[in-house]
């Protein structure tokens, strides 16, 4: 076994990690082993929020189960969608009779299995609505019938803001509309300095020559949309941010929520530099960062790199962003 | 109509000919289809042994659950297809109940997967089979006749995929490479109905 990760047996990796999560936060989360899902230790009488997807993106989604955010999260194997049965069980465990909002990142397997789980839940008498998160600008502009933009770090904003609205008593329909509004107001771009390595493997998912970076990567170790020479952070951040500003039509006087996200193996010190450069760039355009989240929240195992998400903000979204949250990975 | 024997014959066909499906998927997809299907049918056999179903509904529930526990894209879609047979068939299987179940089943797969006839997927066999069952039920044919006609229609539907360019599913990523290759999902549907008629 390659000595680059703390792994017992790769087959037990996800289960053991989830047992660790429960041991660390017994007051917040409960891990159900078969089928696998994580649910709040103490449930609230409100519309429930359920998300999920492949593992390897931690703390997403299991780290965001708790008050003010998710009611349950469904982890698949590393980079593989959970099954519809897993999702159905999590929906049933989270539902308090007021319906369940499903927050789904746009990947074929996730979309299909959540859609099937919603049908199974309907047969169980549980009403669901789905918010499809598709914020990755690198995968924009595909032809009709293609899978469309991938879902990446904007999912944190959807979970946080819809989570706060749910605690305030919002209805299922209101939450679905709010989620769609957040998704349509948010875009993300990412770059990688080094690919990720699957648990138990000793080679990264792709090779990057020295001095080059991969632009427009997703969160599954896949290639990006372009390769370019390494440059100072100031320049790289400008290249990431310019298309986001254009896509959202941001202008002087606008306000955003910014998420500067590490992809798994990037130090907080580097992310703070990225955030500094983002601030300087937006200052130059007269766009204000109303709130910021800087850290590793939506990761691709141990990928070295970062993503920048901008969400066009207004008073309602800012107030919901500021509302209290208490989860293993996000608390204020 | 002994549905349990039907499913056991279907599983035996996949045992014998699963490698052909993998070969088709290797040419037009990623080459794991037959392996996934065999793994689903191993779960089907285990469920049948454990649950010992008595009615057609119970038999198809065991089949559906096995496919829904199988990964990939075709696993859950077949799971939901079989689930409509489980819901629609009670103790007695008639041409009418089969036609209604097959109609609900193909509609569910189209809704969930977003594929239509002509996209080179399992739907290309599911829809003509359902139409043949409906036509047979309409003129009062018995179950055996209806299933024979469904098998012929599904087979023709599966063969029609050979000339198509894929619009959905894994084969849609390989473009012209998939032309000339029969869709393995559609062929599986054809073999399923064929297994009913033996």
């Amino acid at each position: 076994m390659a000595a680059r990760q703390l792994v017992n047996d790769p087959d037990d990796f996800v289960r053991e990690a989830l047992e660790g999560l429960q041991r660390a936060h017994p007051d917040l989360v409960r891990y159900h082993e078969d089928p696998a899902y994580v649910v709040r230790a103490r449930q609230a009488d409100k519309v429930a929020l359920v998300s999920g997807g492949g593992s390897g993106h931690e703390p997403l989604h299991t780290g965001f189960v708790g008050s003010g955010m998710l009611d349950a999260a469904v982890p698949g194997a590393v980079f593989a969608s959970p099954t519809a049965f897993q999702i159905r069980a999590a929906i049933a465990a989270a539902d308090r009779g007021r319906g369940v909002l499903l927050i789904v990142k746009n990947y074929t397997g996730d979309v299909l299995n959540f859609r099937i789980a919603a049908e199974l839940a309907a047969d169980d008498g549980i009403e669901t609505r789905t918010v499809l998160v598709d914020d990755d600008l690198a995968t924009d502009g595909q032809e009709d019938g293609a899978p469309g933009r991938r879902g990446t770090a904007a999912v944190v904003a959807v979970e946080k803001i819809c989570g706060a609205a749910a605690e305030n008593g919002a209805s299922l329909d209101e939450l679905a509309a709010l989620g769609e509004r957040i998704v349509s107001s948010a875009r993300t771009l990412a770059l990688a300095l080094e690919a990720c390595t699957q648990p138990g493997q000793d080679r990264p998912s792709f090779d990057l020559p020295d001095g080059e970076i991969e632009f427009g990567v997703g969160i599954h170790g896949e290639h990006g949309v372009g390769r370019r020479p390494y440059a100072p952070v100031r320049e790289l951040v400008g290249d990431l941010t310019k298309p986001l500003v254009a896509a959202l039509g941001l202008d002087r006087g606008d306000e955003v929520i910014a998420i500067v996200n590490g992809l798994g193996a990037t130090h907080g010190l580097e992310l703070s530099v990225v955030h500094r450069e983002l601030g300087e760039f937006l200052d130059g355009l007269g766009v204000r960062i109303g709130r910021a989240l800087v850290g590793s929240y939506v990761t691709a195992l141990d990928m070295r790199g970062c993503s920048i998400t901008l969400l066009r903000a207004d008073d309602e979204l800012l107030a919901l962003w500021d509302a209290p949250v208490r989860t293993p990975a996000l608390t204020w | 109509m002994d549905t349990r024997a039907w499913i056991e014959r279907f599983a035996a066909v996949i045992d014998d000919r699963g490698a052909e499906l993998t070969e088709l998927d290797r040419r037009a997809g990623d080459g794991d289809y037959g392996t996934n299907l065999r793994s689903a049918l191993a779960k089907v056999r285990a469920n049948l042994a454990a649950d010992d179903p008595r009615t057609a509904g119970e038999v198809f529930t065991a089949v559906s659950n096995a496919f829904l526990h199988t990964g990939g894209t075709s696993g859950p879609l077949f799971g939901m297809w079989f689930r409509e047979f489980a819901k629609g068939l009670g103790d007695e299987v008639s041409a009418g109940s089969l036609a209604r179940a097959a109609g609900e089943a193909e509609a569910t797969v189209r809704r969930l997967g977003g594929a239509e006839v002509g996209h080179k997927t399992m739907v290309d066999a599911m829809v003509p089979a359902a139409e043949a069952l409906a036509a047979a039920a309409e003129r009062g044919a018995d179950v055996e006749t209806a299933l024979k006609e469904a098998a012929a229609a599904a087979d023709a539907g599966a063969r029609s995929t050979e000339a198509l360019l894929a619009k959905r599913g894994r084969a849609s990523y390989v473009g012209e490479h998939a032309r000339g290759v029969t869709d393995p999902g559609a062929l599986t549907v054809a073999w399923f109905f064929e297994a009913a008629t033996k």
Side-chain angles (χ1 to χ4, degrees), chain B:
Chain B
M1 179 79 221
D2 183 345
T3 48
R4 185 165 175 171
W6 173 5
I7 296 302
E8 277 160 0
R9 283 195 299 272
F10 174 53
V13 170
I14 300 300
D15 278 348
D16 290 348
R17 303 185 65 183
E20 289 175 44
L21 299 174
T22 296
E23 175 58 18
L24 292 171
D25 189 38
R26 202 184 57 72
R27 289 167 62 195
D30 56 4
D32 61 0
Y33 180 82
T35 313
N36 283 350
L37 192 58
R38 270 205 291 262
S39 127
L41 283 158
K43 291 191 192 108
V44 168
R45 288 193 171 106
N47 285 357
L48 289 176
D51 303 348
D52 194 21
R54 302 289 170 186
T55 67
E58 289 168 6
V59 167
F60 278 102
T61 296
V63 177
S64 168
N65 287 345
F67 275 88
L68 281 172
H69 274 298
T70 304
T73 301
S74 58
L77 286 175
F78 274 122
M80 292 303 277
W81 189 60
F82 285 121
R83 194 156 185 279
E84 293 300 334
F85 288 91
K87 286 204 265 184
L89 305 178
D91 292 351
E92 285 296 310
V93 177
S94 68
S97 67
L98 260 176
R100 277 191 299 278
E104 290 292 330
E106 60 89 355
T108 298
V109 171
R110 281 191 294 120
R111 185 172 67 247
L112 292 170
E116 297 297 338
V117 170
H119 285 173
K120 197 179 180 93
T121 70
M122 56 177 76
V123 167
D124 285 303
M126 288 172 173
V127 169
E131 286 168 354
L133 286 170
E138 179 77 13
R139 39 162 237 276
D142 59 21
V143 176
E144 284 71 23
T145 309
L147 279 167
K148 266 198 190 89
E149 290 171 10
D155 183 59
R159 279 188 285 109
S160 77
T161 63
E162 191 178 333
L164 293 171
L165 260 184
K167 291 279 174 45
R168 287 290 186 282
R170 193 54 71 98
S172 64
Y173 299 136
V174 300
E176 284 291 339
H177 287 292
R179 214 192 279 280
V181 182
T182 303
D183 180 69
L187 201 53
T188 305
V189 173
W191 291 353
F192 167 71
F193 282 110
E194 196 185 311
T197 65
K198 282 178 179 156

